[in-house]
Amino acid sequence: MTYLVNGRSFDAEPEPGQCLRTFLRALGHFGVKKGCDAGDCGACTVWLDGTPVHSCITPAFRAEDHEVTTIEGLGSPGDLHPVQRRFRDAPGFQCGFCTAGMIMTSATFTEEQKADLPQALKGNLCRCTGYRAIEDAVKGVTNVQTAAPGKAVGTSVGAPAAEDVVTGRAEFTMDTRMEGMLHLKVLHSPHAHARIVSVDKSAALAVPGVQRVYTWQDVPRKRFTTAIHTDHLVDPDDTYILDDTVRFVGQRVAVVLADTVGAAEEGCRKLDVEYEVLPAVFDPEEAMADGAPQLHDSQDPFVRDSVHNLLVEIHSHIGDIDAGFAAADVIHEGTYFSPRVQHAHLETHGSIAWMEDGRLNVRTSSQSPSIAKVKLAYLFALRPDQLRVFCKRVGGGFGGKQEVISEDLVALATLDTGRPCCFEFTREEEFTTASPRHPMKLTVKLGAKNDGTLTAFQVRNVSDTGAYGNHGGETLYAGGSAVMIYRCPNKKYDAFSVYTNTVPSGALRGYGMTQPAFAVECAMDELAIALHMDPFELRRRNIVRPGDPLVGMHDGPDDVMFNEDGLAKCIDLVAGELARTADQPSPGPEWLVGTGVASSMHETAPPTEHISEAWLTLGDDLVYELAVGTVEFGEGTSTAHVQIAANQLGTTPSRIRLVQSDTDRTGFDTGAFASAGLFVAGNAVLRAANAVRDRILEFAAAHTGVHVVMCSMDDEHVVCGDDRVPLAELVALARARGIRFTAARKAYGSPRSVTSNTHGFRIAVHRVTGEIRILHSVHAADAGVLINPEQVRGQVDGGVAQGIGFALTENFRIDADGAVVNPNLRNYRIPAYADVPRTDLLLVSSADSVGAMHSKGMAECCINPVAPALANALRDATGVRYRELPLTPERIYSRLGESQSARSGPRR
């Protein structure tokens, strides 16, 4: 069979049933990505005779005698196709995993298609950008700027890897080939709770190409937690690599290692497993009841109360809650539910392991290679020098890759066989075995005086941690931030993290704050209605102000700096913008119109210890090498780190060469989560850059005889008084004396500051179908000093888009037996281009942050107020309060008749 790919002709024979995507990747065209293998996401888009197709559902044989073009054939660095240039200059990407597919689709657009992007882009999904940047790219809008020497901070410079991303050259985790690679597949439990009586491996081992089968008897019997934090003691060691008891549908039962993916899958099908099925429980309230099935043994030291399936429980109070309610003129109480939410990063989890010079190397899609290394060293009794863990570019994370859930198996297989091994999750495995957001049921009770002053604030939070406790305790404590946002002398917070026989929950953007923010902000709106008070005014009267203690679950000292009234400014900005557009017409008489608002406050780093180290060296080529352990997966920290270093060294980003996320080549870094990639690692970069700058200036001062205060950096020169000394001359002189301009500096996640966010919506609700249309979306944020304004805007766009999905479309369904029933992108429904409006971003100028250059991370906090603002707008439009997410048309329609307003015309 003859194929023509990117202008090159060759003969090849696809495997029976092979799709074009895997065929092209086997030929080395790694710009063709796997996001779904079901034709849902478009990451695999290529051209077949100039027409874009999803290569994952196109049989390879259909490309015979046809011309195939991949992203690599469209253009190359230095010779970009016009559409690649537009995506670079917009920039139309964040993590970049969807970018090749987006470009291959949009490069064929006619002017008519450009005018109807909701239709034209319906086959391509992006989880990062919120689509605004992609629209800018398609329409040729340039947002990237060029920074002058020493002026990088505050400039929207492009990402260092931009040209590699838009040409498909950027390497993601699985974009490599190795001789003799073995492929790993997992047999998953069909039962929610069972004991494994026996596993017969014989038929599996007889499958041609199968090399090994591992069960719980073949792996180290060490407890650990898959969750990633510097202090592993904050998470329970309740997990084994493989166990003889399964506690959720989808849990690992056995592992098959084979020469091909197909052989490994067939080996899994041939395994004969005998189970003793055990009673299961799926509801956390039922799991806490007397007599409920117990998931974990009473002897396990990490379980708070195994009889009641309690991982953690929190009981805290400030003041006298009973007296507070007795003093109230108005009391509101309501119960609110937030469901599971999947991260849906388009790059699934995956790892590759191999031996090199007697050392284990693990290449992985992780948010923290440093801590992954620590866990692997513990599990397999390796010394630190026997192990290297590193990341290439990571295709999205959002907290989902703050786990070790693929690295352990490839390490096991390679250490056993000595051969390279890879393990790549399917999209279904992402839903059935990875860690979604914790479902939480929160009861909020508020008391207030007639003037709106809060007298009592009580919250009960029941969090479903699933079968294992990774992140179960820390997300529960994080919920206290929703209580912290409002002043009240009497507060009570009772919270329970409960084991159930469901897929384990984990970290997701907003980390334990998104669900309580939904409940508290909806409750505040309901209180405002009861008080006949404007919801903006109720918030203004009760939000914490500079000088107030940040009181959530205790009134003891903390390490949070809070010096500027950013939250009040955010509320005022959103109120003003919604008022300005209040006269916009309704879509028609069949639509009900309403507005809603919600706020949140978020610490800029986690309370658990967060550490980062940066190394900086000036090379003989006059390029500064910056080594930072932080991973880049679309949050933009790589760009920000380069900008900070260039700013302090008086140079341009082009003279900073970045080395990152490699335990052999960088210092320790806790990980890229909780916005710490900018707040903590950014401070480490700042300190290292300042140290190198000071050494250069001191050397230059001694060389010229000018006092150091008269010296300054000027790109490739140092100005010393009236002299302008070439940097090359100083480097040569230093080398001759055995001096290097290099420094390493560490930073820690303390003290911390706070970010503030307020979101407002004007929506229309169809009185017949329950459909919601977003008429206006506005977000105000206190982001501190902006390192890269365009990246800040992009993070907010992406966070708002995810928040809209959380509120309206994403519905993680589990059946009566504990199985996920919609484990795919098509039925789970993350937002597409047509679902996401443009959001007006209003930024508060502040400098109260102790982050690098007074910056604050925006990647996480922006999602928190989105769902409650939508729910509040829905209540304003319909007169009906919906307390359970997602707000689907079916759920809305079923209750529209409860309100007279639904029959009496539009609300404004």
Side-chain angles (χ1 to χ4, degrees), residues 415-431:
L415 288 169
D416 178 36
T417 65
R419 290 175 61 180
C421 174
C422 71
F423 176 32
E424 183 177 18
F425 276 38
T426 65
R427 179 55 59 185
E428 181 174 337
E429 285 173 321
E430 287 293 329
F431 281 92

Side-chain angles (χ1 to χ4, degrees), residues 154-192:
T155 304
S156 295
V157 303
E163 291 211 351
D164 285 337
V165 168
V166 301
T167 58
R169 269 72 173 178
E171 276 193 52
F172 291 83
T173 309
M174 309 308 292
D175 294 345
T176 188
R177 292 178 294 181
M178 290 186 182
E179 196 68 32
M181 177 87 78
L182 294 172
H183 299 269
L184 185 153
K185 283 294 176 179
V186 173
L187 176 69
H188 301 285
S189 170
H191 303 293

Side-chain angles (χ1 to χ4, degrees), residues 808-862:
L808 298 183
T809 65
E810 298 182 37
N811 202 355
F812 197 112
R813 296 180 181 271
I814 292 182
D815 68 15
D817 297 318
V820 181
V821 298
N822 58 332
N824 54 69
L825 295 177
R826 182 169 304 180
N827 295 323
Y828 176 71
R829 275 281 283 124
I830 69 172
Y833 177 93
D835 300 311
V836 183
R838 281 223 173 197
T839 293
D840 294 329
L841 175 59
L842 309 174
L843 293 170
V844 171
S845 177
S846 71
D848 70 336
S849 175
V850 287
M853 318 295 291
H854 299 290
S855 63
K856 300 179 182 181
M858 271 290 118
E860 188 167 22
C861 55
C862 51

Side-chain angles (χ1 to χ4, degrees), residues 289-308:
D290 291 339
Q294 294 180 36
L295 272 73
H296 294 277
D297 191 274
S298 60
Q299 302 302 312
D300 288 348
F302 51 82
V303 179
R304 167 74 175 174
D305 179 355
S306 65
V307 174
H308 299 98

